[in-house]
């Protein structure tokens, strides 16, 4: 929700997404516009977006972190394909992604595991 220089919205020229937008939009609002729409002179990008949404009646942005759950670990996949040590993995089940600067979703996890003991190698045959 940035701005494009030279663009306009409802007759307001979007030259700079800071105090100027707040002042110009407030000037177009009715006299009884809520006082909480006043914006500070210096805003970071998230504050600019939230202030802009408030001015347009969007209610601002609610920070929401990723909502996820972890399933059980997958089966152990031995490194040699048959037995011994290997790896297993799992990936999060994402119920809803992050929004408005909330923390992101984790990636898949991998851990070492042991599947089963390998049988001893066969004994060499005695010479004839």
């Amino acid at each position: 929700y940035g701005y494009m220089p030279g663009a306009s919205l409802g007759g307001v020229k979007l030259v700079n997404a800071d105090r100027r937008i707040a002042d110009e939009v407030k000037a177009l609002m009715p006299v009884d516009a809520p006082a909480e729409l006043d914006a500070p002179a210096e805003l970071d990008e998230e504050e600019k977006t939230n202030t802009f949404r408030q001015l347009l009646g969007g209610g601002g942005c609610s920070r929401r972190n990723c909502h996820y759950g972890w399933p059980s670990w997958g089966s152990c996949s031995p490194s040699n394909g048959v037995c011994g040590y290997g790896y297993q993995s799992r990936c999060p089940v994402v119920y809803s992604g992050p929004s408005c600067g909330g923390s992101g979703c984790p990636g898949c996890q991998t851990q070492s595991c042991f599947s089963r003991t390998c049988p001893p190698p066969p004994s060499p045959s005695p010479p004839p």
Side-chain angles (χ1 to χ4, degrees):
Y1 288 102
Y3 66 94
M4 192 169 14
S8 66
L9 178 66
V12 177
K13 189 171 182 183
L14 303 177
V15 177
N16 197 353
D18 59 9
R19 174 82 183 178
R20 192 177 210 173
I21 288 177
D23 291 343
E24 290 178 5
V25 174
K26 271 186 72 176
L28 296 173
M29 297 177 90
V31 178
D32 59 347
E36 65 269 10
L37 295 180
D38 285 340
E42 292 296 320
L43 301 173
D44 65 24
E45 286 304 312
E46 185 175 348
E47 290 172 324
K48 287 177 187 177
T49 300
N50 290 342
T51 300
F52 193 65
R53 284 183 180 164
Q54 282 180 332
L55 292 170
L56 296 177
C61 187
S62 275
R63 182 182 186 111
R64 190 179 73 209
N65 295 333
C66 177
H67 181 70
Y68 64 94
W70 288 106
S72 301
W73 288 96
S75 59
C76 188
S77 298
S79 299
N80 67 7
V82 180
C83 57
Y85 288 94
Y87 294 94
Q88 60 188 162
S89 61
R90 65 181 182 173
C91 295
V93 175
V94 177
Y95 304 113
S96 62
S99 65
C100 302
S103 61
C105 301
C108 296
Q109 296 177 331
T110 302
Q111 70 178 10
S112 60
C113 59
F114 185 79
S115 67
R116 64 184 178 95
T117 305
C118 294
S123 301
S125 301

